Amino acid sequence: MNEFLQRANQVLQHIEPLLPKMAEPIDWNTVYAASWQRKGNSSFFRPIALGADIRLADLLGVDLQREQLLRNTQQFMRGFPANHALLWGSRGTGKSSIVRALLAEYAEQGLRLIEVERNELADLPLIVESLAGLPQHFIVFCDDLSFEAGEGDYRILKSVLDGSLERAPDNVLLYATSNRRHLLPEQHSDNQHWQQGDGGELHPSEAVEDKIALSDRFGLWLSFYPFNQEHYLDVVQHWIGEYARPSKLDWQFTEETAKQAISWATARGNRNGRCAAQFAKQWVGLRLLEQTV
């Protein structure tokens, strides 16, 4: 028996370095943001660093959306009834930035952010259960939540969300962003009256309802639209000022600068906040570089 135990111990010593290490427990008093990770049969929170480089005041032209989400989050933080939120619309218009800016605004008051990939939302019951009873308030955040045509796992997610959100504790909310209002591609045929034929949908209205039922799990819908040119140039000026301030760069927003910004957006096919910030970064960096030559 002793010989067997010695051999078993030797085997364990060889295997132990190959086994995944147990994740350290999260101290939510010091960790403000984490991502939900799944490795093999284990799942755990991994701390992540989210900088406070985006503030709510930086998000121009989306005042209504910002104020609605801010009020909903304030209700949540004070223990009042609040809704799960779906932020949908054009890319680069500030959907994700608003959620991260909320963390910077309320982290010291106990707000925490947990990022969850779409494929891991099936773990939502486990996530919610692990957060129940904690003194902090948690936003479970799923960025770019959408499904392609033919994917059937949205039905699984729908049932998971339905059960998990209905029974979610008072300290957990789900915020999600998507480029699609109903999270699924909508086809022209969805709006056509049913026509009798081989393989036709017998109850087309029910099929359409099934598609949009997933987004109905969110009580608050916020819509984000493409920027017009005036809005875009206002955001460009804002970010030039932000990037120029640390180096005390003296600058003016001229007609030539506006033309460059418009050309920048045209070349990328995007006139949005992300594009405006990228142009401002390039413009300020180039001016600073010219000063050193």
Side-chain angles (χ1 to χ4, degrees), residues 161-181:
L161 289 178
D162 196 22
S164 299
L165 298 189
E166 287 294 329
R167 295 191 297 271
D170 293 338
N171 69 332
V172 178
L173 273 187
L174 176 63
Y175 286 178
T177 69
S178 178
N179 294 333
R180 295 167 175 158
R181 178 176 55 180

Side-chain angles (χ1 to χ4, degrees), residues 151-167:
E151 287 187 300
D153 55 349
Y154 78 89
R155 291 186 175 89
I156 299 175
L157 178 57
K158 185 176 67 175
S159 62
V160 170
L161 289 178
D162 196 22
S164 299
L165 298 189
E166 287 294 329
R167 295 191 297 271

Side-chain angles (χ1 to χ4, degrees), residues 52-284:
D53 53 331
I54 297 289
R55 304 164 299 167
L56 289 172
D58 291 325
L59 301 164
L60 306 181
V62 289
D63 298 14
L64 179 60
Q65 298 92 325
R66 181 183 60 200
E67 291 305 314
Q68 285 185 292
L69 193 64
L70 179 60
R71 285 196 299 269
N72 192 67
T73 306
Q74 289 172 339
Q75 292 168 211
F76 172 55
M77 294 291 294
R78 297 185 64 180
F80 302 152
N83 275 308
H84 307 287
L86 174 63
L87 291 68
W88 75 274
S90 301
R91 66 188 189 278
T93 50
K95 300 185 297 295
S96 302
S97 296
I98 285 183
V99 177
R100 294 189 171 99
L102 286 172
L103 177 64
E105 185 82 13
Y106 290 107
E108 296 298 332
Q109 300 178 37
L111 186 65
R112 299 295 182 263
L113 186 68
I114 297 174
E115 294 191 345
V116 181
E117 297 291 334
R118 192 209 78 175
N119 294 334
E120 296 172 352
L121 276 175
D123 291 341
L124 194 56
L126 179 60
I127 296 172
V128 168
E129 181 182 357
S130 66
L131 301 176
L134 296 177
Q136 294 83 8
H137 288 76
F138 296 88
I139 291 177
V140 177
F141 178 46
C142 186
D143 197 15
D144 195 22
L145 177 62
S146 62
F147 298 86
E148 298 302 325
E151 287 187 300
D153 55 349
Y154 78 89
R155 291 186 175 89
I156 299 175
L157 178 57
K158 185 176 67 175
S159 62
V160 170
L161 289 178
D162 196 22
S164 299
L165 298 189
E166 287 294 329
R167 295 191 297 271
D170 293 338
N171 69 332
V172 178
L173 273 187
L174 176 63
Y175 286 178
T177 69
S178 178
N179 294 333
R180 295 167 175 158
R181 178 176 55 180
H182 291 137
L183 306 177
L184 288 153
E186 297 177 84
Q187 302 171 355
H188 181 66
S189 59
D190 289 340
N191 297 316
Q192 293 177 341
H193 295 295
W194 171 70
Q195 297 178 358
Q196 187 172 0
D198 294 339
E201 175 69 50
L202 185 59
H203 300 289
S205 61
E206 293 180 4
V208 175
E209 287 294 318
D210 186 51
K211 282 189 173 184
I212 68 175
L214 178 58
S215 57
D216 282 346
R217 269 58 184 171
F218 298 89
L220 178 62
W221 285 13
L222 299 177
S223 307
F224 292 73
Y225 302 101
F227 291 6
N228 59 35
Q229 185 164 296
E230 181 182 1
H231 181 188
Y232 169 71
L233 292 177
D234 286 343
V235 177
V236 168
Q237 291 183 69
H238 171 80
W239 283 114
I240 288 179
E242 290 297 310
Y243 290 130
R245 184 176 296 111
S247 57
K248 298 181 179 180
L249 175 69
D250 186 22
W251 64 279
Q252 290 184 339
F253 194 76
T254 65
E255 184 177 348
E256 178 60 28
T257 307
K259 289 180 179 178
Q260 293 174 7
I262 294 170
S263 177
W264 177 279
T266 302
R268 284 153 181 76
N270 297 320
R271 193 165 58 192
N272 54 37
R274 182 182 299 132
C275 181
Q278 290 169 345
F279 170 78
K281 188 179 296 184
Q282 186 266 355
W283 191 88
V284 171

